[in-house]
Amino acid sequence: MPPKQQMQIPATAEVVDLDSSDEEGGGPPANTRPSNSEKLQTNPPTTSATQLASAANTGGASAVNNRSLENRSFWRAGSYEIGTTKSTLLMHGDLEHARVHPKFLHSNATSHKWAFGAIAELLDNAVDEVESGATFVKVDQIYNSKDNSPALQFQDDGGGMDPERMRKCMSLGYSSKTSNTTIGQYGNGFKTSTMRLGADVIVFSRSNRSGRATQSIGLLSYTFLRRTGQDDVIVPMIDFDISDNWAEPILYGSKDDWSSNLKTILEWSPFASEDELMLQFENVGSHGTKIIIYNLWMNDEGIYELSFDDDHEDIRLRDEANLGSKTKTFKRVLELQSHLSYRIRFSLRAYASILYLKKFTNFKIILRGKPVEQFFIADDLIHTKTITYNPQVGQGLKEVTVKTIIGFIKEDPEIGICGFNVYHKNRLIRPYWKVTTEGTSRGLGVVGVLEANFIEPAHDKQDFERSILFIKLESKLKQMVNDYWKSHSPLVGFPPTDGMGKSNDVSGNTCRNRGNHQSTTAEPILRTDVRDHPENPPDAASLHKINEENIQLFMRVDLDVYCSINTP
């Protein structure tokens, strides 16, 4: 039974100023309460009730002119004039440190060009909690009770966050993850991902560490900061000690400070009362975290980026899904649309199914009430081959072993699906990365899977840093495709190649055998105009050009996009 709130006990909690330090230390020990006089990067001094209460009424003309966000489109929400600001330097003991302007929350989030990349960051945080006993993460749509607008909720049953970890989560550059197996490492993913999906986020977390049970609530609100004309990022938080089976507010400062934190949370969150806030913990259990992102971003047409209505068991990217909504397309293009490599562009269920390389044994991603069925890409390949690559990494040039599974897709290889799915620490970074040269049939239908832990992903985890090791890996993958193609392409109906990798088909056609590749009668890739003029068949280059023009005409997306499926 969840603890009851002890309403009559006054307490205080500080409003945290975000700091951009990358250092791990500095916070109070998990089993101690920070004193009111301490000035720490993860636990800055208490903002007084007077300061918080005046936030909604200060800021001069800037506050008056920004009572609402001018643009609900994410890519325009950062375009606004900055009003008169206070000093950009704050005293930190005998030293000064820089402020973090609210506009940085938006510019920082632009590292996520793709909304699904932001969702993946939040899934990563839950998967990292498997080490703390997490068995699920639930992703679902809920509604903001104040205006009935859609919101996005993430909930896991991991170890949760105590007050100190909550402050690190809300601050910039802090990460408590030191394991070699965890995905998170930069201490920035929570801020960039939540702010990329919506203007505001509220976090509820329960934890039981060092014999002390706590629950914390934190609000990171771009809307609050904009509308009140703030020139520094402040995050209202309140904490409770629930060790004695009731919620006793944790004291950090004055009664007015705590009340002001609570008042700000209630004013700018989807919850109108303290009782409504406390109800959010009822299904959290003894430990876990619930994240609610609201005021979701819209596209330039004023429609929510995320679609919850097209499929009630999925969350879709509206603009990406509409790319394929043509009334008339070629059969070949329809095959492309139905393939997983294309569906991951707009279907969260499809993307989540291949997001992690290893299948979970006691953990589930539950999307809109239905578990996501994990899909191992290599299981869907034929004529597979395992190739070992041993790059030398580090100052001591230590040799590591990377195994790549390569093969042909089970579907028609000629539809253009190809590329390598490259994972890092179990997490998909680059899906269907095409490394072969354009304008050639070599490599069509060839797909590979590998885990490359020796190269570093970019901050949005949708690509890799362009290091020497990355360039060498790309060269090695090209070689893998060429070698595999020479020996295996005839198995799926492509003409054999000579020692230079050129086709031995004297007619110049790129063709394949009918049926199960046992008939000697061949037909070209495109079954359109060729049959009408058998006496004058086009060569391979012409066929490729026709294929490209058809796709551009009916899909407005070229073959390269389909093959590489680069993140938008």
Side-chain angles (χ1 to χ4, degrees):
M1 180 175 180
K4 298 179 180 179
Q5 181 190 4
Q6 187 172 333
M7 297 289 293
Q8 71 271 21
I9 298 180
T12 59
E14 79 279 18
V15 174
V16 175
D17 291 315
L18 289 190
D19 195 281
S20 57
S21 171
D22 288 319
E23 298 300 323
E24 269 293 323
N31 58 352
T32 62
R33 301 182 184 186
S35 69
N36 190 38
S37 61
E38 288 179 319
K39 187 162 187 174
L40 302 173
Q41 290 174 327
T42 54
N43 195 20
T46 302
T47 300
S48 69
T50 302
Q51 289 173 300
L52 242 188
S54 64
N57 302 314
T58 58
S62 176
V64 174
N65 294 332
N66 289 291
R67 295 305 299 173
S68 63
L69 298 183
E70 293 85 350
N71 289 297
R72 290 298 305 279
S73 166
F74 172 74
W75 297 106
R76 298 180 181 180
S79 300
Y80 68 95
E81 295 296 325
I82 299 177
T84 303
T85 64
K86 310 166 192 174
S87 170
T88 57
L89 295 177
L90 296 174
M91 292 305 297
H92 186 104
D94 295 331
L95 302 175
E96 295 179 332
H97 70 277
R99 293 179 184 272
V100 178
H101 194 278
K103 200 167 184 177
F104 178 73
L105 287 178
H106 180 269
S107 60
N108 192 37
T110 59
S111 62
H112 286 294
K113 303 295 185 274
W114 192 39
F116 279 0
I119 291 177
E121 285 273 10
L122 297 172
L123 294 177
D124 292 343
N125 288 343
V127 171
D128 283 343
E129 285 295 304
V130 169
E131 292 188 348
S132 300
T135 62
F136 69 81
V137 57
K138 297 178 180 178
V139 185
D140 211 341
Q141 175 203 21
I142 62 171
Y143 289 94
N144 183 336
S145 59
K146 287 184 177 178
D147 60 12
N148 206 38
S149 62
L152 189 60
Q153 177 175 287
F154 295 78
Q155 182 177 342
D156 67 64
D157 63 342
M161 294 180 285
D162 58 21
E164 178 194 1
R165 292 195 179 193
M166 175 72 89
R167 280 149 184 77
K168 286 190 173 183
C169 172
M170 294 291 193
S171 299
L172 298 170
Y174 287 93
S175 175
S176 300
K177 300 173 182 178
T178 57
S179 170
N180 289 330
T181 60
T182 54
I183 304 168
Q185 56 182 316
Y186 297 119
N188 200 33
F190 172 81
K191 278 73 63 176
T192 59
S193 57
T194 54
M195 293 293 99
R196 172 62 185 86
L197 297 168
D200 310 291
V201 58
I202 186 168
V203 182
F204 302 84
S205 195
R206 263 189 186 159
S207 174
N208 195 334
R209 287 187 171 87
S210 302
R212 187 191 190 198
T214 60
Q215 64 186 30
S216 301
I217 304 173
L219 177 72
L220 181 58
S221 172
Y222 188 56
T223 304
F224 159 64
L225 297 168
R226 282 283 308 274
R227 287 185 177 179
T228 57
Q230 300 303 306
D231 64 353
D232 200 5
V233 177
I234 57 176
V235 183
M237 297 187 193
I238 53 177
D239 307 296
F240 300 86
D241 191 321
I242 57 174
S243 301
D244 295 325
N245 294 323
W246 67 80
E248 178 182 354
I250 296 178
L251 305 174
Y252 292 135
S254 71
K255 300 177 184 179
D256 289 341
D257 290 339
W258 191 87
S259 297
S260 293
N261 276 266
L262 174 61
K263 180 180 178 181
T264 303
I265 291 173
L266 294 178
E267 181 177 358
W268 297 97
S269 78
F271 308 101
S273 70
E274 191 173 356
D275 287 341
E276 287 186 27
L277 284 176
M278 303 306 285
L279 282 174
Q280 293 302 308
F281 288 104
E282 283 200 344
N283 63 351
V284 172
S286 60
H287 51 81
T289 299
K290 180 187 292 186
I291 298 169
I292 299 174
I293 305 169
Y294 56 104
N295 288 329
L296 300 177
W297 295 118
M298 298 179 178
N299 60 19
D300 291 342
E301 284 71 43
I303 304 173
Y304 288 110
E305 282 186 305
L306 300 178
S307 171
F308 301 98
D309 301 325
D310 294 338
D311 186 338
H312 293 290
E313 293 182 346
D314 199 0
I315 297 174
R316 296 195 169 189
L317 280 180
R318 194 181 308 274
D319 293 341
E320 293 296 328
N322 288 342
L323 287 177
S325 61
K326 305 299 178 183
T327 57
K328 182 180 179 181
T329 57
F330 281 127
K331 176 183 176 182
R332 189 71 52 161
V333 176
L334 292 175
E335 291 175 348
L336 269 171
Q337 288 182 356
S338 65
H339 194 270
L340 178 67
S341 61
Y342 179 77
R343 288 189 290 114
I344 62 175
R345 294 173 59 88
F346 62 86
S347 166
L348 181 58
R349 183 169 292 276
Y351 180 54
S353 72
I354 62 171
L355 189 57
Y356 302 102
L357 178 61
K358 302 176 183 66
K359 292 189 176 181
F360 301 121
T361 56
N362 191 33
F363 183 85
K364 292 181 179 180
I365 299 174
I366 303 174
L367 178 58
R368 307 198 72 181
K370 181 180 178 181
V372 172
E373 183 178 349
Q374 285 187 273
F375 180 78
F376 188 42
I377 297 172
D379 288 344
D380 206 42
L381 303 179
I382 57 176
H383 306 303
T384 58
K385 180 179 180 180
T386 300
I387 303 173
T388 300
Y389 173 44
N390 299 109
Q392 293 181 329
V393 302
Q395 294 182 349
L397 294 180
K398 178 183 177 182
E399 188 176 271
V400 298
T401 300
V402 180
K403 292 185 178 181
T404 300
I405 300 176
I406 190 171
F408 281 103
I409 60 172
K410 289 180 179 179
E411 298 84 355
D412 187 344
E414 293 160 358
I415 63 176
I417 305 301
C418 56
F420 288 89
N421 295 271
V422 189
Y423 291 77
H424 177 84
K425 290 185 178 180
N426 195 43
R427 159 75 135 79
L428 180 63
I429 304 298
R430 292 201 69 166
Y432 295 94
W433 172 27
K434 186 180 181 183
V435 298
T436 53
T437 306
E438 291 301 318
T440 176
S441 63
R442 189 182 309 131
L444 285 180
V446 178
V447 170
V449 181
L450 67 149
E451 185 175 34
N453 294 337
F454 64 96
I455 52 178
E456 289 298 319
H459 279 258
D460 65 349
K461 298 189 180 75
Q462 297 299 310
D463 203 347
F464 288 99
E465 299 292 349
R466 293 301 196 271
S467 63
I468 297 295
L469 287 172
F470 175 84
I471 295 172
K472 289 182 177 179
L473 173 63
E474 183 177 21
S475 177
K476 181 64 178 180
L477 295 180
K478 289 180 180 179
Q479 179 186 337
M480 286 184 192
V481 173
N482 288 332
D483 293 345
Y484 179 84
W485 183 263
K486 291 176 186 177
S487 58
H488 290 75
S489 58
L491 298 178
V492 293
F494 288 105
T497 58
D498 60 19
M500 300 298 292
K502 297 180 180 179
S503 171
N504 289 329
D505 180 22
V506 294
S507 67
N509 287 328
T510 301
C511 58
R512 61 171 297 184
N513 296 331
R514 299 174 187 259
N516 294 324
H517 317 300
Q518 296 181 4
S519 171
T520 57
T521 304
E523 62 178 8
I525 294 177
L526 292 180
R527 286 85 166 177
T528 52
D529 300 333
V530 178
R531 292 175 178 172
D532 296 331
H533 307 279
E535 73 283 355
N536 213 8
D539 58 17
S542 299
L543 286 172
H544 180 77
K545 182 178 180 181
I546 294 171
N547 193 29
E548 288 282 332
E549 291 175 348
N550 287 338
I551 291 177
Q552 290 179 13
L553 176 62
F554 291 101
M555 291 294 295
R556 296 181 182 177
V557 180
D558 60 22
L559 183 60
D560 179 51
V561 174
Y562 288 111
C563 289
S564 62
I565 310 296
N566 285 326
T567 299

